[in-house]
Amino acid sequence: MTDKNSLTGRTVIITGAARGLGAEAARLAVARGADVVITDVLDEEGEATAAGLGPKARFLHHDVTSQEDWQRVAAFALAESGRIDGLVNNAGVSTGQPLETETVEHFRKVIDINLTAVFIGMKTVIPVMKENGGGSIVNISSAAGLMGLALTSSYGASKWGVRGLTKVGAVELGTAGIRVNSVHPGMVYTPMTASVGIQQGEGNYPNTPMGRVGEAGEIGEAIVFLLSDAASYVTGAELAVDGGWTTGPTVKYVMGQ
Ligand SMILES: NC(=O)c1ccc[n+]([C@@H]2O[C@H](COP(=O)([O-])OP(=O)(O)OC[C@H]3O[C@@H](n4cnc5c(N)ncnc54)[C@H](O)[C@@H]3O)[C@@H](O)[C@H]2O)c1
């Protein structure tokens, strides 16, 4: 019986994978047999992450806002294996200003990294995937792309945009065998969230029904599922991996009294 979770023989590009969620997704993809191209602007961390995963992982410097860089990354993957089966658009930056103090320059910058780059990445791999007869694109949005979260004007707008772009991709590319889905992590412990004081472990995030922050591997599992044939009929989905955060408030009202 074939293992539908296997990624053996697949080549997957994961952006922003020097650390955090992307690095964990890369680890899980390699564990399932994929050849992974890890990309990031953090060269030292990216090289170290790839080295730690062995010969099936390679690192490339890649600024996701640069179309030339995308061409170089795709050419590298094609030269190495002749195919691109998966793309995980994971690179991103977070922000935390109120609408009133967010600047136009900063808003544009965040949209460029978190949204326009996802569009460029999709555009780059679609022709290659079509040639292969299919593929899987996993766009990392956020819980902030499913609800209005205070202090996330640029970030929230970018992540809602990623969710919308994913739907368009799914509709346009379904018959080409290219599945496009978005993953919406809740509060997960990574260098990004550690930098704003999020702590690991039980009891550290009472906002979520599950009462804790997530671990990078819990997002990674969703990503490798969507990359694999186990998700062969899943496209256009928005998979919240958030401990129930976007399901509803944790305050318990007594109804009907
Ligand atoms: N950690 C969370 O709680 C959480 C929640 C929701 C969504 N996310 C999303 O998950 C993704 C990964 O986040 P993370 O928590 O691992 O953060 P992280 O900061 O640890 O990792 C993000 C990576 O993206 C890279 N990056 C930033 N700008 C780039 C650019 N222009 N080109 C290439 N790489 C670039 C960074 O160098 C970094 O390595 C992001 O898109 C983030 O918005 C994270």
Side-chain angles (χ1 to χ4, degrees):
M1 208 176 73
T2 53
D3 176 4
K4 290 194 177 235
N5 292 295
S6 170
L7 296 174
T8 301
R10 310 275 167 94
T11 297
V12 178
I13 297 168
I14 309 182
T15 69
R19 66 183 196 189
L21 301 187
E24 194 55 22
R27 188 184 68 75
L28 289 168
V30 167
R32 280 160 178 73
D35 290 295
V36 176
V37 181
I38 289 172
T39 82
D40 208 297
V41 286
L42 299 177
D43 295 339
E44 250 174 61
E45 282 175 80
E47 293 286 5
T49 298
L53 295 180
K56 289 182 85 62
R58 303 287 298 273
F59 172 75
L60 275 194
H61 179 89
H62 176 204
D63 178 346
V64 289
T65 63
S66 158
Q67 223 173 331
E68 293 72 38
D69 276 14
W70 271 106
Q71 291 304 329
R72 196 169 40 75
V73 169
F76 175 85
L78 285 172
E80 291 280 301
S81 66
R83 48 193 303 125
I84 299 171
D85 302 282
L87 168 64
V88 183
N89 278 309
N90 165 79
V93 289
S94 75
T95 58
Q97 286 87 288
L99 262 170
E100 276 178 293
T101 55
E102 174 67 294
T103 65
V104 173
E105 293 71 31
H106 186 254
F107 187 94
R108 286 201 170 116
K109 187 175 167 211
V110 173
I111 295 292
D112 205 27
I113 298 172
N114 288 6
L115 176 59
T116 311
V118 173
F119 163 70
I120 304 172
M122 289 172 72
K123 259 184 89 64
T124 307
V125 301
I126 286 166
V128 182
M129 288 183 171
K130 277 190 167 167
E131 193 116 315
N132 288 351
S136 171
I137 298 174
V138 182
N139 293 330
I140 308 304
S141 176
S142 169
L146 291 169
M147 60 182 175
L149 201 58
L151 308 183
T152 69
S153 55
S154 52
Y155 184 78
S158 72
K159 295 301 188 179
W160 277 76
V162 167
R163 180 182 171 202
L165 193 57
T166 301
K167 306 285 189 216
V168 174
V171 172
E172 288 189 7
L173 301 167
T175 54
I178 303 173
R179 297 181 296 101
V180 191
N181 294 286
S182 56
V183 171
H184 299 255
M187 194 57 83
V188 183
Y189 184 75
T190 66
M192 179 187 274
T193 52
S195 72
V196 294
I198 292 297
Q199 291 176 1
Q200 208 166 8
E202 295 295 326
N204 277 320
Y205 207 62
N207 267 356
T208 64
M210 290 185 72
R212 65 172 176 85
V213 298
E215 297 289 333
E218 294 177 302
I219 311 304
E221 291 288 354
I223 295 170
V224 292
F225 162 69
L226 290 169
L227 286 172
S228 78
D229 289 347
S232 55
Y233 201 49
V234 184
T235 195
E238 43 193 57
L239 180 49
V241 188
D242 65 352
W245 189 19
T246 54
T247 307
T250 50
V251 180
K252 294 180 179 67
Y253 296 101
V254 180
M255 302 296 285
Q257 290 184 1

